Amino acid sequence: MKKILYVVLDGLGGTPDPKLNGKTELEVANTPNMDRLAKKAKLGLMYPIGPNIAPESDAAVLSILGYDVDKYYTGRGPLEAHGADIEVRDGDLAWRANFATVDEETLKILDRRAGRNLSTEEAKALAEEVNQKVKLDDAEFIFKATVGHRGVLVIRSKKGKLSANVENIDPGYKRHGPYSIAIPNPPSEVQKCVPLDDSEEAKEAARLTNEFVMKAFEVLKNSEINKKRKAEGKKPANIILLRDAGDSLPKVPTLQELYGLNFGSIVEMPVERGIALLTGMKEVPIEDSTDYKLWAEKVLYALEHYDGVYAHLKGPDVPGHDGNYEKKIKSIEDIDSIFFETLLPKLDFSKVVMAVTADHATPCMLKSHSEDPVPLMIITDGITPDGLDYFGESACSKGSIGKIKGTELMPLLVKIAKG
Ligand SMILES: O=C(O)[C@@H](CO)OP(=O)(O)O
């Protein structure tokens, strides 16, 4: 059986953009290595979850790893918490958190990511102040800074289980059943958490969440760290926006149980780490996630030790969210000229089947995730290439894989790997 290499480029996908003459960022980027791969590949398009769904990274990744989100998804918070090594028991309330900036008089949101320049040291110190100084009535909590402006909050009530059926505080995402959907051009008011059913568990969850946000605001507003940030001309991280609550961890079969395969994972964000751990993958740490040469070396190392490797590079998503065309295109070109340039000469496609795709599209034009299908190519010796000559959405739309749903990809790769 061949080894499986599953490369996910976060937010790689785009949508035909008038500013790019109807092309996508991937199609405009100079990607000789990925184009060379495309010539040997079968191409297709993949709906991470399904048509007309603009997925968040968490649900998208679960789905493209082969897990039906309607069956397994329990919210982003628990996945982020698991990825941050925080215990989530059934009935805990786990939130994805953002350090953000508000006007301290009006609470109007000025920046959902506090300027995207919060250092991990600053975030950890702010989190420490919140953990020390905020006290909740009838509940305990852990608030943990993870990467940059991101964090996790887990609240455990002393009175009983909590329900995650509550609305987000973060106006950038609206609850839609167990999911949240991104709101392009969101309102700038901090939302009140409200119960989405009339259960006591949801009402108490909303009460505790609002209490936490306001008490943490008072602590952050007066923090010396934020006073220093202001003095340096930086935006204060003076509020914690919460979204995508969950009140239990997904109970999923591991990839070992499903396919008898041991996977290694190379990821950089807590949400993907949480998913990888839950699906039974062994973590291959990457010490510097900005070093694409190191990523390639870690992939080659992992291929020697596991049946499959899931490598999830964050790169293109961040500039997509910021609407920064130049940076998103540069991110794609760097992945091509460094990650793939280093990897491909050492990959033996007689022994490896590789998929290159994305977890979702983050078009600069929208500054958020879109429902566009993402480009997909599958390469290994012995398959009949489609004879297309570049890796991009329009070429992929002509590929022999056709349009598939995310849950179909892993079974397809296992089938090809088994020959
Ligand atoms: O964490 C992130 O990278 C993004 C998308 O998942 O979230 P946000 O838009 O809140 O930064």
Side-chain angles (χ1 to χ4, degrees), residues 169-187:
I169 293 267
D170 183 342
Y173 296 82
K174 195 116 189 84
R175 280 300 285 255
H176 188 75
Y179 310 110
S180 282
I181 46 174
I183 308 293
N185 309 313

Side-chain angles (χ1 to χ4, degrees), residues 56-57 76 96 98 112-113 116 149-150 170 173 243 314 317-318 321 369:
E56 284 313 294
S57 284
R76 182 167 186 152
R96 156 62 195 261
N98 273 29
R112 282 191 60 256
R113 305 181 183 98
R116 222 195 251 286
H149 62 283
R150 304 172 186 84
D170 183 342
Y173 296 82
R243 72 180 198 252
K314 181 71 176 170
D317 184 55
V318 169
H321 279 285
H369 300 180

Side-chain angles (χ1 to χ4, degrees), residues 1-30:
M1 179 172 172
K2 292 180 180 178
K3 303 253 180 163
I4 294 171
L5 172 53
Y6 197 146
V7 178
V8 177
L9 305 180
D10 199 308
L12 174 76
T15 198
D17 187 328
K19 284 188 187 167
L20 301 175
N21 299 321
K23 292 182 181 300
T24 65
E25 296 91 335
L26 171 59
E27 291 174 330
V28 165
N30 177 28

Side-chain angles (χ1 to χ4, degrees), residues 99-108 110 114 118 122 125-127 129-130 133-134 143 212-231 234-240:
F99 279 108
T101 305
V102 290
D103 175 302
E104 291 173 1
E105 301 307 318
T106 65
L107 273 184
K108 182 174 181 299
L110 304 175
L118 197 61
E122 287 175 318
L126 288 168
E129 281 189 60
V130 168
K133 296 176 183 175
V134 171
F143 174 59
F212 170 84
V213 169
M214 291 323 293
K215 288 182 173 177
F217 170 60
E218 289 305 318
V219 171
L220 294 171
K221 188 171 69 169
N222 298 306
S223 164
E224 288 307 315
I225 293 169
N226 278 320
K227 286 176 184 152
K228 184 166 177 291
R229 279 179 63 83
K230 283 182 190 172
K234 292 178 186 169
K235 293 174 181 169
N238 57 11
I239 198 144
I240 295 167

Side-chain angles (χ1 to χ4, degrees), residues 148-175:
H149 62 283
R150 304 172 186 84
V152 177
L153 171 69
V154 178
I155 301 175
R156 181 170 294 158
S157 169
K158 294 172 185 167
K159 297 196 293 189
K161 291 191 175 185
L162 296 170
S163 161
N165 197 21
V166 294
E167 189 50 271
N168 294 328
I169 293 267
D170 183 342
Y173 296 82
K174 195 116 189 84
R175 280 300 285 255

Side-chain angles (χ1 to χ4, degrees), residues 122-414:
E122 287 175 318
K124 288 190 186 308
L126 288 168
E128 189 49 38
E129 281 189 60
V130 168
N131 284 310
Q132 295 298 325
K133 296 176 183 175
V134 171
K135 302 295 176 215
L136 296 182
D137 303 337
D138 305 319
E140 294 165 349
F141 73 88
I142 294 179
F143 174 59
K144 186 171 182 180
T146 54
V147 178
H149 62 283
R150 304 172 186 84
V152 177
L153 171 69
V154 178
I155 301 175
R156 181 170 294 158
S157 169
K158 294 172 185 167
K159 297 196 293 189
K161 291 191 175 185
L162 296 170
S163 161
N165 197 21
V166 294
E167 189 50 271
N168 294 328
I169 293 267
D170 183 342
Y173 296 82
K174 195 116 189 84
R175 280 300 285 255
H176 188 75
Y179 310 110
S180 282
I181 46 174
I183 308 293
N185 309 313
S188 55
E189 290 72 32
V190 177
Q191 306 297 301
K192 271 265 179 270
C193 182
V194 292
L196 295 174
D197 63 44
D198 59 3
S199 70
E200 285 312 309
E201 292 81 0
K203 288 177 191 164
E204 181 65 358
R207 184 187 71 79
L208 287 168
T209 299
N210 290 320
E211 183 186 353
F212 170 84
V213 169
M214 291 323 293
K215 288 182 173 177
F217 170 60
E218 289 305 318
V219 171
L220 294 171
K221 188 171 69 169
N222 298 306
S223 164
E224 288 307 315
I225 293 169
N226 278 320
K227 286 176 184 152
K228 184 166 177 291
R229 279 179 63 83
K230 283 182 190 172
E232 292 165 351
K234 292 178 186 169
K235 293 174 181 169
N238 57 11
I239 198 144
I240 295 167
L241 297 180
L242 300 170
R243 72 180 198 252
D244 306 347
D247 50 38
S248 66
L249 272 177
K251 293 156 181 74
V252 297
T254 64
L255 294 169
Q256 171 64 285
E257 288 162 342
L258 288 171
Y259 308 107
L261 298 177
N262 290 312
F263 259 74
S265 67
I266 313 168
V267 298
E268 55 186 294
M269 288 292 155
V271 66
E272 282 87 35
R273 182 171 186 266
I275 292 168
L277 293 173
L278 279 173
T279 57
M281 297 188 191
K282 294 288 180 286
E283 184 176 21
V284 176
I286 177 114
E287 293 72 19
D288 176 0
S289 61
T290 64
D291 180 346
Y292 286 142
K293 190 169 179 299
L294 180 61
W295 272 91
E297 289 158 2
K298 291 286 181 175
V299 164
L300 292 165
Y301 166 85
L303 281 172
E304 286 168 17
H305 295 79
Y306 298 102
D307 306 318
V309 178
Y310 157 59
H312 189 124
L313 291 80
K314 181 71 176 170
D317 184 55
V318 169
H321 279 285
D322 293 342
N324 191 321
Y325 287 84
E326 190 184 335
K327 278 192 175 177
K328 180 172 177 178
I329 291 166
K330 175 83 169 56
S331 168
I332 296 167
E333 293 181 343
D334 287 350
I335 288 170
D336 191 274
S337 65
I338 306 169
F339 173 70
F340 282 110
E341 184 86 18
T342 305
L343 178 68
L344 296 185
K346 296 172 185 159
L347 260 195
D348 177 355
F349 285 119
S350 70
K351 297 189 176 79
V352 174
V353 52
M354 174 166 76
V356 180
T357 188
D359 53 348
H360 51 73
T362 313
C364 290
M365 185 169 77
L366 296 177
K367 297 187 180 180
S368 69
H369 300 180
S370 74
E371 57 199 40
D372 294 87
V374 296
L376 164 65
M377 62 176 163
I378 298 175
I379 307 101
T380 191
D381 286 357
I383 59 166
T384 311
D386 289 335
L388 294 156
D389 59 3
Y390 72 93
F391 186 47
E393 285 84 348
S394 44
C396 287
S397 70
K398 303 181 186 84
S400 62
I401 298 173
K403 288 190 178 180
I404 64 170
K405 286 187 178 177
T407 48
E408 297 176 70
L409 182 52
M410 186 62 92
L412 175 60
L413 294 176
V414 172

